[in-house]
């Protein structure tokens, strides 16, 4: 099995603990010396993405038995998974992520979970965002608390931006952040806007808020640095060794609607020299109880849209991509076996993706538990072997220079056993 062996996995964790403080200081010193300004994007996949579909363990004999006709074929076979490390594959709809893996800009984490062990979307998302081991244990989110502990103390109001109709829990807390959402209204004409500006001018609070909103809209709408091959993604170029195989189906169209607008807005904010370093947005529709599909179908379409949005994000960020890390997480996984309605039910462990030019990628990190009946959690789910907080701590420490002591005491309280993974970000 080519997934990370248990001894190697534990050795990485032990090294991470011993070198944590040094790593954080070096990350901050390196960023200051090189003028690098790291950007971080958190994408929450709400609804519980099926990790065994997104990253199928093709090398596990139990996978085909559990998934039956919904088991993805091995890499190299018609409609097969994209190649990763020889044991795991990648869903064929995730062509951009496949290219990122080959370019060493993607780390795949598998058999990962938050501390939550029940199967409620509401509570699972709360734990995912609040950074504790229990639902509703905190009214603030781990990412906001991390911004408050970042160099500069989170005093800048635009240190982070939440994109969507509401500011999610993960971005609420002591650090001031800005927000933006796609407008459902038609644009105002200049005369109406001038009248509103005059009306608000005498109110110090409203005038500032209006100015902030107008500036945010200008930033979000500013044309990006989208590369020609990302504006309307064509078929993939011929694969090099280890890349996506030739003969893949044409890339799906670029994401449309509010999702595309949100992705481009996120890039617009992060491109700014003095703009936010952190952006958060979410996607929905991952609750595939029925008619999930395999290489084609409902889930494949959603994965294709997600993948194309990430490609758009890279293209829009342009040169900023090299300093960017994008983390994709979901509240929990799904059942290992297909249910009676040709879908999957709420489960436990799943996968997470860390992509970007700042990522030391080209790896799958997994202490794989196996899929035989006695290896499944409660006889039905993929067993979690990696605490998601280990990943979060590693990214925050190495990429955003959050001190280990702050991570333990404030960002993820009472999480001493969840040791930060090291080496996730390029030196």
């Amino acid at each position: 099995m080519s997934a990370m062996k248990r001894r190697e996995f534990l050795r990485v964790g032990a090294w991470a603990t011993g070198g944590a403080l040094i790593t954080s200081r070096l990350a901050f010193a390196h960023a200051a010396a090189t003028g690098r300004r790291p950007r971080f994007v958190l994408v929450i996949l709400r609804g519980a993405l099926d990790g065994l579909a997104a990253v199928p363990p093709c090398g596990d004999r139990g996978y085909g038995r559990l998934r039956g006709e919904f088991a993805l074929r091995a890499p190299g076979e018609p409609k097969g998974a994209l190649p990763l490390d020889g044991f795991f594959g990648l869903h064929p709809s995730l062509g951009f992520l496949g290219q990122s893996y080959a370019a060493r800009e993607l780390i795949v984490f598998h058999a990962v979970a938050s501390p939550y062990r029940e199967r409620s979307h509401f509570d699972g998302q709360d734990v995912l965002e609040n950074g504790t081991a229990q639902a509703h244990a905190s009214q603030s989110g781990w990412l906001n608390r991390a911004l408050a502990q970042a160099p500069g103390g989170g005093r800048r109001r635009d240190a982070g931006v939440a994109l969507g109709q509401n500011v999610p829990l993960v971005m609420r807390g002591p650090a001031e952040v800005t927000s933006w959402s796609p407008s459902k209204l038609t644009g105002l004409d200049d005369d109406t806007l001038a009248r509103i500006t005059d009306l608000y001018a005498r109110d110090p609070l409203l005038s500032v808020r209006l100015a902030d909103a107008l500036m945010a809209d200008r930033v979000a709408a500013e044309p990006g640095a989208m590369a020609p091959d990302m504006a309307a993604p064509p078929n993939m170029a011929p694969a090099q060794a280890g890349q996506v195989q030739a003969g893949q189906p044409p890339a799906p169209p670029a994401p449309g609607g509010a999702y595309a607008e949100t992705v481009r807005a996120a890039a617009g904010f992060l491109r700014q020299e003095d703009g936010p370093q952190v952006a958060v947005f979410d996607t929905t529709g991952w609750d595939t109880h029925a008619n999930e599909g395999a290489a084609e179908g409902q889930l494949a379409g959603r994965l294709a849209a997600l993948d194309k949005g990430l490609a758009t994000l890279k293209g829009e960020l342009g040169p900023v991509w090299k300093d960017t890390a994008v983390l994709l997480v979901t509240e929990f996984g799904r059942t290992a076996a297909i249910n009676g309605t040709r879908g999957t039910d709420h489960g436990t462990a799943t996968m997470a993706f860390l992509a970007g030019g700042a990522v030391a990628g080209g790896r799958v990190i997994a202490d794989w538990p196996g899929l035989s009946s006695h290896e499944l959690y409660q006889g039905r789910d993929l067993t979690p072997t990696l605490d998601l907080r280990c990943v979060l701590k590693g990214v925050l420490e190495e990429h955003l220079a959050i001190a280990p002591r702050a991570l333990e005491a404030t960002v993820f309280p009472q999480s001493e056993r969840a040791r930060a993974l090291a080496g996730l970000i390029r030196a």
Side-chain angles (χ1 to χ4, degrees):
M1 178 169 86
S2 61
M4 180 179 282
K5 299 295 191 294
R6 183 175 297 269
R7 283 198 304 272
E8 181 183 354
F9 183 88
L10 295 177
R11 187 168 64 248
V12 168
W15 184 90
T17 304
L21 184 58
I22 296 174
T23 302
S24 180
R25 288 174 176 170
L26 287 176
F28 180 65
H30 178 72
T34 60
R36 184 177 70 87
R37 188 168 181 271
R39 274 77 161 184
F40 176 57
V41 182
L42 178 69
V43 184
I44 300 176
L45 310 175
R46 299 190 186 277
L49 171 60
D50 184 355
L52 293 177
V55 184
C58 299
D60 191 315
R61 295 180 180 179
Y63 169 67
R65 173 180 58 81
L66 288 166
R67 290 294 165 119
E69 65 177 298
F70 291 93
L72 289 169
R73 297 179 180 179
E77 297 184 18
K79 297 183 180 180
L82 304 177
L84 289 179
D85 66 348
F87 182 84
F88 295 103
L90 197 62
H91 194 284
S93 292
L94 297 174
F96 170 73
L97 286 181
Q99 290 180 324
S100 299
Y101 185 88
R104 300 188 181 279
E105 293 186 349
L106 174 69
I107 299 176
V108 178
F109 305 94
H110 219 321
V112 63
S114 78
Y116 183 69
R117 292 293 178 270
E118 303 301 325
R119 299 179 178 92
S120 160
H121 288 303
F122 186 74
D123 289 348
Q125 291 175 23
D126 193 274
V127 172
L128 176 68
E129 296 183 64
N130 74 31
T132 76
Q134 297 180 346
H136 317 298
S138 176
Q139 298 302 307
S140 64
W142 60 263
L143 187 50
N144 184 285
R145 297 195 297 270
L147 285 173
Q149 297 295 321
R155 289 186 292 272
R156 290 176 50 243
R157 184 170 177 268
D158 59 352
V161 57
L163 300 108
Q165 296 300 321
N166 300 292
V167 176
L169 174 60
V170 74
M171 281 290 270
R172 299 178 204 160
E176 289 194 50
V177 298
T178 190
S179 63
W180 176 91
S181 63
S183 175
K184 296 182 179 179
L185 302 176
T186 57
L188 297 176
D189 59 76
D190 291 342
D191 182 64
T192 302
L193 186 58
R195 291 173 183 271
I196 294 175
T197 302
D198 288 342
L199 181 64
Y200 282 17
R202 296 181 181 181
D203 188 304
L205 177 61
L206 291 178
S207 62
V208 170
R209 291 292 185 247
L210 177 61
D212 287 347
L214 294 175
M215 176 60 71
D217 271 346
R218 283 196 292 271
V219 169
E222 181 179 316
M226 180 177 283
D229 63 332
M230 295 296 179
N235 294 348
M236 295 175 190
Q240 299 176 0
Q243 287 188 325
V244 179
Q245 299 298 310
Q248 283 298 118
Y259 176 48
E261 190 176 357
T262 298
V263 168
R264 294 189 175 96
F269 282 105
L270 295 177
R271 280 196 310 269
Q272 307 303 308
E273 286 294 330
D274 296 321
Q277 289 181 264
V278 172
V280 175
F281 60 89
D282 57 26
T283 68
T284 59
W286 303 104
D287 197 14
T288 49
H289 283 284
N291 300 318
E292 181 174 315
E296 299 174 342
Q298 176 192 170
L299 180 60
R302 294 191 181 280
L303 288 173
L306 175 69
D307 187 72
K308 203 49 54 186
L310 295 173
T312 298
L313 180 65
K314 177 179 179 178
E316 291 278 351
L317 285 174
V320 174
W321 177 256
K322 70 179 186 305
D323 297 325
T324 300
V326 183
L327 182 64
L328 293 91
V329 295
T330 191
E331 64 261 37
F332 46 72
R334 309 196 71 80
T335 48
I338 297 297
N339 64 22
T341 55
R342 302 170 69 81
T344 50
D345 297 319
H346 299 175
T348 308
T350 183
M351 39 65 14
F353 293 124
L354 180 64
V359 175
R363 298 178 286 155
V364 177
I365 296 179
D367 183 13
W368 189 243
L371 293 175
S372 62
S373 57
H374 70 278
E375 293 169 324
L376 295 176
Y377 179 73
Q378 296 183 346
R380 52 171 274 166
D381 301 338
L382 177 65
T383 298
T385 58
L386 174 60
D387 191 322
L388 179 61
R389 292 174 296 180
C390 298
V391 178
L392 302 178
K393 286 181 177 181
V395 174
L396 292 175
E397 182 182 320
E398 294 185 345
H399 195 50
L400 298 183
I402 310 299
R405 185 172 299 176
L407 290 173
E408 299 292 350
T410 305
V411 181
F412 301 102
Q414 300 180 333
S415 65
E416 294 81 5
R417 297 181 63 182
R419 299 174 176 178
L421 290 181
L424 304 181
I425 302 299
R426 297 183 193 274

